[in-house]
Amino acid sequence: MRSVETPEHPAIQAPEQRFQASYREAWGVWMRLLQEDYLKAAFTRRDDATAYANKHPSGGQRGEVRRMWILINETLGEAYALGDGASPVLHAVDLDFNRKSKMSVLRQAALDKLTDEELQALGMSRA
């Protein structure tokens, strides 16, 4: 079975490491799949979450916008969704697609450094 794409990713923050933090409200877009709800995206503004839910339906269903609380790690620039605490693993949330944007920039920078031969070996070419 294919895994569900969510904005969660492993946190950089070590459990015993101290950091400066702030607590704030955010808005999550939740989708239902096989009787379970999955976080599809997280936003700082409700309007952005509603617009995303309206433009990205899943299986013909519009996502449900829900208020959520997040902890912002001011030291490392990560955001953590505050949940039920069932898992001891800290998961970061890609708030406003910041992580996805950074990863895309890093990926493109790495690809730009490759020669045409290296790209071809990877089955890619310059567009």
Side-chain angles (χ1 to χ4, degrees):
M1 182 177 156
R2 191 175 142 243
S3 66
V4 176
E5 182 182 335
T6 73
E8 294 181 330
H9 56 91
I12 298 169
Q13 178 68 41
E16 67 283 347
Q17 183 182 10
R18 293 178 155 273
F19 63 93
Q20 293 291 318
S22 59
Y23 176 68
R24 68 177 296 175
E25 177 182 61
W27 300 93
V29 177
W30 297 83
M31 301 299 235
R32 190 154 194 67
L33 178 66
L34 301 175
Q35 310 303 332
E36 288 191 49
D37 290 341
Y38 293 93
L39 181 63
K40 192 70 175 164
F43 298 91
T44 52
R45 296 176 357 134
R46 184 185 180 105
D47 290 345
D48 292 341
T50 302
Y52 181 87
N54 289 334
K55 289 181 183 177
H56 298 89
S58 176
Q61 285 187 315
R62 178 187 174 276
E64 180 183 353
V65 176
R66 297 182 198 163
R67 182 171 65 171
M68 57 192 292
W69 294 98
I70 58 172
L71 191 65
I72 304 289
N73 180 333
E74 304 291 350
T75 306
L76 295 176
E78 287 187 318
Y80 313 115
L82 301 176
D84 59 10
S87 172
V89 178
L90 185 62
H91 289 280
V93 144
D94 189 5
L95 191 61
D96 296 323
F97 297 110
N98 286 330
R99 181 175 190 267
K100 189 173 186 176
S101 297
K102 287 178 189 174
M103 295 302 283
S104 180
V105 167
L106 289 172
R107 180 181 186 276
Q108 189 58 50
L111 289 175
D112 288 345
K113 292 178 183 179
L114 298 177
T115 66
D116 289 337
E117 293 79 21
E118 291 169 328
L119 284 172
Q120 188 177 8
L122 294 171
M124 305 170 83
S125 64
R126 296 203 195 280

